[in-house]
Amino acid sequence: MVAPKAPVPRASGIYGLFNFDDQPLDPRGLQALGLPRGAGEEASWKVAGHDPFMPDAVSRHDEGGASTLLAGFIEDHSDLASRLGLHPALSAAGLARAALERFGSNAPAEMTGEWSLLHRATDGTLTLMVSAGVRDPIFYAVSGRRVAVAPDLFALARLDWVDSRIDEAGLLFPVARAALRARWNGARPISRRAGGGRRSATVSSSTTTRTR
């Protein structure tokens, strides 16, 4: 009798699969990224966050047909909420959406902390963003009108439409501190331990593919 395969460990961060032709997602793609099947988002897209050390670090905010997913934490949450005229009890993802709308690509400078963010606008445009002190890797692959997002290149490589070519410049984007967080058993303030340079980047699907 053949023993069942052990589950593939999932890296901390944000996962997403999108079909901009509004066609149902391939169940094999969902399985490759460890995304759940079933009710939830529209059949043409699905997102999820994962943190094995701090499950409550994943936050999601849905409003007006848009969806924001944040993995990590925002420093001075209450102060930022006050600056934006919002209630301090608003979720981290809700606060991140407001900061993104107010500050645009400058959001990492205004929203300090360690986080990664995916925002799907009402028109389907995707924005990926990371804090200046990058928390988790974030990679994406594009093929035609399909987009996949994951914190792990090996997860993306499991998709049958992702080839072996790599954008070398893009590899500078996801340099992160997930390994350090693992070393310190998931403790949050890695920036105080690790130091190092500051990095941020934003990518929008408007530069690759859009709905309708």
Side-chain angles (χ1 to χ4, degrees), residues 95-120:
L95 185 59
R97 171 179 172 164
L100 181 61
E101 291 176 345
R102 172 75 66 85
F103 305 118
S105 61
N106 291 323
E110 304 292 340
M111 191 169 70
T112 58
E114 294 178 5
W115 47 265
S116 54
L117 176 149
L118 182 151
H119 176 73
R120 181 184 183 275

Side-chain angles (χ1 to χ4, degrees), residues 10 35 41 65 92 108-109 114 163 166 191 212:
R10 297 182 69 205
L35 289 167
E41 293 85 18
E114 294 178 5
D163 62 26
I166 295 176
S191 59
R212 288 179 284 279

Side-chain angles (χ1 to χ4, degrees), residues 42-180:
E42 296 294 330
S44 61
W45 64 281
K46 176 115 12 214
V47 296
H50 177 68
D51 189 325
F53 306 110
M54 299 180 62
D56 60 351
V58 177
S59 172
R60 178 168 173 171
H61 181 82
D62 296 290
E63 181 181 346
S67 183
T68 306
L69 186 68
L70 183 136
F73 72 98
I74 300 171
E75 291 181 354
D76 302 323
H77 183 118
S78 297
D79 290 344
L80 180 58
S82 178
R83 288 174 58 198
L84 295 173
L86 300 171
H87 195 283
L90 183 66
S91 69
L95 185 59
R97 171 179 172 164
L100 181 61
E101 291 176 345
R102 172 75 66 85
F103 305 118
S105 61
N106 291 323
E110 304 292 340
M111 191 169 70
T112 58
E114 294 178 5
W115 47 265
S116 54
L117 176 149
L118 182 151
H119 176 73
R120 181 184 183 275
T122 53
D123 67 352
T125 296
L126 301 178
T127 298
L128 305 179
M129 185 173 285
V130 293
S131 58
V134 182
R135 182 179 191 267
D136 298 305
I138 185 165
F139 298 97
Y140 69 97
V142 179
S143 177
R145 296 177 65 79
R146 294 176 294 189
V147 178
V149 178
D152 179 7
L153 276 176
F154 294 101
L156 291 178
R158 290 195 290 268
L159 295 167
D160 57 12
W161 50 269
V162 174
D163 62 26
S164 59
R165 291 175 297 175
I166 295 176
D167 176 3
E168 292 88 351
L171 285 177
L172 297 176
F173 177 42
V175 175
R177 299 170 180 175
L180 290 176

Side-chain angles (χ1 to χ4, degrees), residues 18-26 42-45 145-146:
F18 306 84
N19 189 333
F20 288 93
D21 286 325
D22 293 331
Q23 297 298 313
L25 296 172
D26 185 342
E42 296 294 330
S44 61
W45 64 281
R145 296 177 65 79
R146 294 176 294 189

